[in-house]
Amino acid sequence: MVMGPTHAMSGAALWLAGSAVADIAFGIDQSSAELIVGTIVASGAALYPDIDCAGKVTENKGGSTVARSFGVASLMVAEVVERLCYWFYLLTKSKKDKKRKNGHRTFTHTAVHAALVGTGTGFLAAQFGKPAVIAILFVLTGLAVRGLLAETVEKKGWIVTTGVALVASYGMYRLLPEGRDYWILGLAMGIGCFIHILGDMITKMGSPLFFPLPIQGRRWKDIGLPNSVALRAGGKEENRILLPILTVLVVIGMFYNVPEVQQFLFDQGDGQGASQ
C-alpha cells in the first residue's frame, strides 16, 4: 500500500488546491480556522480507507497506519471493519472475482463508500454543528498525525496521537465560529477518501473503484496502472519524487490560502484606496 505520509499529504494538497479554486471561481470563502479544519479532515480521511487492514489486536502489532493510530482500540475497530468488508465481498462477488483471505482493499476502497462516508460526515456536521465537528476532528486529527509523523508516533506510541488529537480538537472548538453547519466537512471527508483510492491505483495492486459496476464480468475489478509504470509502495519514486512534490504543494497551498497573502496578491489597489 502507499505509505501513510503520501496519503496524508495528497489529501491536504487536494483540499488546499480545491479551496483556492472554490474561492476564485465561486466566491466560497473560508476563515483560517475553517481552512485548517478542512485540511486536517481531508488529510486524515486520505488515510481512513485503510481501516480495513487489521493487525494482531491483542498484541498491538501489525495492521495499517490507520489501524495503529489509537493503539488496541483502533486495531479492534479495524478488525471489525475488515471482517465486515470480507463478508460483504463474499456476498457480492461474481464468479470471476478472485479469491480473498481478508477484506483489505474492498468496500472502503470504492467510490460508493467515499460518497456514503462523505455524505454521512456532512450530515452529522450540518445537523449537530460544533459538537459533531469536534468528534470528527478528534478522530481524523489522530489519523493525520499517525500518517504524517509515522516514525515519531511509532516510537512514542498511541498516547502521542491521542494527546495531539485532544489538543487540536479543543483548540478548534475555541476558534471555530458559532452558527455554522459545517457541511463542507463532508466534502473534505469524501475527497480525502477518494484521493486515497487514486493513490492506491498508481500501485500494482490497484483498487475496486467502480464497484458494483461489472467490468470484464467482475464486480470487484481492481483498477490500476500497468505494472510497467505502476509505483512500488515505499520505493524510490514515492519517497524521492511523489512525497516531496506533495509536500511542496501543501506548503504553497497553505501560504496561498492565508487571507493576508490573498489580500496582498489581489487587493493591493483596494487597500491603498481604503487607506486614503
Side-chain angles (χ1 to χ4, degrees):
M1 63 185 70
V2 174
M3 294 175 64
T6 303
H7 275 314
M9 281 293 183
S10 66
L14 185 59
W15 183 254
L16 290 168
S19 296
V21 172
D23 184 28
I24 295 172
F26 305 105
I28 300 177
D29 188 27
Q30 300 179 73
S31 68
S32 296
E34 290 172 323
L35 184 65
I36 292 172
V37 169
T39 303
I40 291 174
V41 170
S43 180
L47 289 139
Y48 160 75
D50 277 340
I51 194 65
D52 65 356
C53 182
K56 297 179 180 180
V57 176
T58 56
E59 300 178 19
N60 192 16
K61 294 181 180 180
S64 63
T65 299
V66 172
R68 299 191 301 272
S69 296
F70 297 100
V72 175
S74 54
L75 282 170
M76 291 179 65
V77 172
E79 180 72 20
V80 172
V81 172
E82 181 178 336
R83 292 193 180 192
L84 289 174
C85 288
Y86 181 57
W87 291 337
F88 184 66
Y89 176 82
L90 294 177
L91 288 172
T92 58
K93 73 181 185 72
S94 67
K95 293 181 179 179
K96 292 187 177 181
D97 281 313
K98 62 185 180 182
K99 293 183 178 180
R100 287 181 176 269
K101 295 182 179 179
N102 57 60
H104 181 45
R105 285 205 189 185
T106 53
F107 185 62
T108 61
H109 287 70
T110 65
V112 171
H113 177 267
L116 288 174
V117 75
T119 301
T121 301
F123 173 79
L124 290 174
Q127 189 72 19
F128 300 103
K130 284 179 66 173
V133 171
I134 301 309
I136 294 167
L137 193 62
F138 169 76
V139 174
L140 294 179
T141 297
L143 303 190
V145 169
R146 190 65 176 82
L148 293 172
L149 304 175
E151 293 184 2
T152 301
V153 177
E154 186 73 30
K155 296 177 181 178
K156 302 296 182 180
W158 62 269
I159 295 178
V160 174
T161 304
T162 306
V164 173
L166 284 171
V167 171
S169 299
Y170 177 75
M172 289 300 101
Y173 181 81
R174 298 296 300 270
L175 291 175
L176 289 173
E178 299 285 354
R180 302 287 291 271
D181 56 25
Y182 299 107
W183 61 267
I184 200 169
L185 293 189
L187 184 61
M189 184 71 181
I191 286 176
C193 289
F194 188 73
I195 197 66
H196 176 104
I197 298 171
L198 294 183
D200 281 351
M201 286 172 59
I202 66 176
T203 65
K204 295 180 179 181
M205 187 174 179
S207 287
L209 175 67
F210 297 113
F211 168 86
L213 298 178
I215 300 176
Q216 298 176 344
R218 301 178 184 178
R219 292 195 185 96
W220 295 92
K221 172 68 175 178
D222 288 323
I223 308 297
L225 295 177
N227 289 343
S228 57
V229 295
L231 295 182
R232 183 175 65 85
K236 294 181 179 179
E237 295 84 358
E238 180 179 353
N239 287 316
R240 298 181 182 179
I241 300 175
L242 184 58
L243 185 56
I245 289 175
L246 289 171
T247 303
V248 170
L249 290 176
V250 168
V251 173
I252 293 174
M254 289 173 62
F255 277 104
Y256 178 84
N257 282 284
V258 172
E260 290 77 10
V261 173
Q262 291 195 359
Q263 184 177 6
F264 176 78
L265 292 175
F266 301 114
D267 299 330
Q268 288 186 356
D270 294 341
Q272 293 172 358
S275 63
Q276 294 174 356

